[in-house]
C-alpha cells in the first residue's frame, strides 16, 4: 500500500536530511503509529506520502504509484485515495459542518444525490449527526477534529494519514478520537498516525515505527511507546560520523519549486446549495 525504498528527503536550509535512507513497507489494512521526538521526521514522512513534499532520492510508492515521478496534474487524483487529518483541523471557517464534509465529495465530482446521502451518514458515524448546520467556531476542539475526520473518510479512501490528530486535544477527547480511528480501521482502512501520545500508543498495541534524527530506529509489531534508549557516547559518535559524511558529500541540487500544494486547491466555492 505504502512503500519507502531508500528514501532521503533534504531541505536546502538544513544541514542534515529530514529523512535519510528510509525503508518502510506498510501493508493494506495495517494500523501504524509513527513515534519519535519533535523534528525526528514523522511529519515529513506524512507530507511525502500525500505529495506535499517530493523525495530527494529513493522511491516512494503509494497504491502502486511512484510519487517522485507523478506529474503535478495527477496529485489531486492521489489525494482522492488518501484521506488526511492534521493537528490544526484545517476546516473552512465560513462553511457549515455539512458543507465542509461535502467539499471532499464535490471536488471529485460525486453527484448531488450521493453527497446528500454520504454526508449525513458520515456525520452520524463520527458522532455529529445533529451538528451539520453548525459553524466550525461553534464546536469544541474534539468536535472540529471529528469533522476533519469525517471529511477525510467520506469518500471511503483506502488509506488515512493522521499527523498528530490529538495534539491539540485533552486526554479524554484524544482517546475518543482514537477510538473513532480504530472503528474506521476495523472497516478496512489502512491508517498511519504520527503521534506523541504515549497513552494512546500503549493502549492500542499496534505496529510502532520509531524515528530518530530522520532514521527508523524501531519497527515493532504490537509495540508500545517506549523511546529507544541511546547511549550518549553512541549518539555523539554517530553525530561525528554524520558531520564527516556531510563534509565529504557534495552539496545536493535543490528540488525544483513545486509551489505550495494544499488538498483544497482545486475546490471551488459554489457548494452551498449541495445539501439544500
Amino acid at each position: 500500500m505504502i512503500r519507502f525504498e531508500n528514501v532521503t528527503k533534504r531541505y536546502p536550509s538544513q544541514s542534515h536530511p529530514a529523512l535519510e535512507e528510509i525503508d518502510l513497507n506498510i501493508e493494506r489494512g495495517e494500523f501504524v503509529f509513527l513515534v519519535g521526538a519533535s523534528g525526528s521526521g514523522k511529519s515529513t514522512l506524512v507530507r511525502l506520502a500525500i505529495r506535499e513534499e517530493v523525495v530527494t532520492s529513493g522511491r516512494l510508492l503509494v497504491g502502486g504509484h511512484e510519487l517522485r515521478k507523478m506529474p503535478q496534474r495527477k496529485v489531486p487524483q492521489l489525494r482522492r485515495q488518501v484521506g488526511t487529518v492534521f493537528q490544526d483541523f484545517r476546516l473552512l471557517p465560513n462553511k457549515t459542518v455539512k458543507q465542509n464534509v461535502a467539499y471532499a465529495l464535490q471536488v471529485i465530482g460525486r453527484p448531488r444525490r450521493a453527497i446528500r446521502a454520504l454526508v449525513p451518514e458520515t456525520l452520524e458515524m463520527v458522532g455529529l449527526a445533529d451538528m451539520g448546520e453548525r459553524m466550525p467556531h461553534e464546536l469544541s476542539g474534539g468536535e472540529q477534529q471529528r469533522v476533519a475526520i469525517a471529511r477525510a473518510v467520506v469518500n471511503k479512501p483506502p488509506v488515512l494519514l493522521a499527523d498528530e490528530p490529538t495534539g491539540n486535544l485533552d486526554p479524554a477527547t484524544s482517546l475518543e478520537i482514537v477510538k473513532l480511528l480504530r472503528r474506521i480501521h476495523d472497516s478496512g482502512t489502512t491508517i498511519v498516525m504520527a503521534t506523541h501520545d504515549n497513552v494512546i500508543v500503549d493502549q492500542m498495541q499496534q505496529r510502532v515505527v520509531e524515528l530518530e534524527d530522520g532514521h527508523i530506529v524501531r519497527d515493532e509489531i504490537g509495540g508500545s511507546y517506549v523511546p529507544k534508549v541511546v547511549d550518549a557516547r553512541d549518539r555523539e559518535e554517530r553525530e561525528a560520523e554524520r558531520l564527516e559524511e556531510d563534509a565529504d558529500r557534495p552539496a545536493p541540487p535543490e528540488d525544483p519549486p513545486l509551489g505550495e500544494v494544499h488538498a483544497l486547491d482545486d475546490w471551488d466555492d459554489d457548494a452551498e446549495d449541495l445539501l439544500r
Side-chain angles (χ1 to χ4, degrees), residues 10 30 58 64-65 81 105-106 108 118-119 121 143 156 160 175 196 201 213 217 227 230-231 241 260 262 272:
R10 290 180 174 274
E30 283 198 279
H65 302 285
Q81 302 299 313
L105 297 172
Q106 183 204 16
I108 60 173
L118 288 170
V119 171
E121 173 186 308
E143 290 165 345
K156 304 185 187 306
L160 177 63
L175 185 58
H196 283 107
V201 176
D213 298 330
V217 295
V230 180
D231 182 78
E241 290 175 358
E260 189 172 6
H262 297 287
E272 287 88 344

Side-chain angles (χ1 to χ4, degrees), residues 8 10 14-21 213 215 238-252:
T8 293
R10 290 180 174 274
Q14 296 180 353
S15 58
H16 303 299
L19 293 173
E20 186 169 20
E21 298 180 354
D213 298 330
H215 296 81
R238 187 168 61 194
E239 180 66 18
E241 290 175 358
R242 190 174 300 164
L243 290 173
E244 290 179 4
E245 292 175 358
D246 287 346
D248 296 336
R249 183 185 294 120

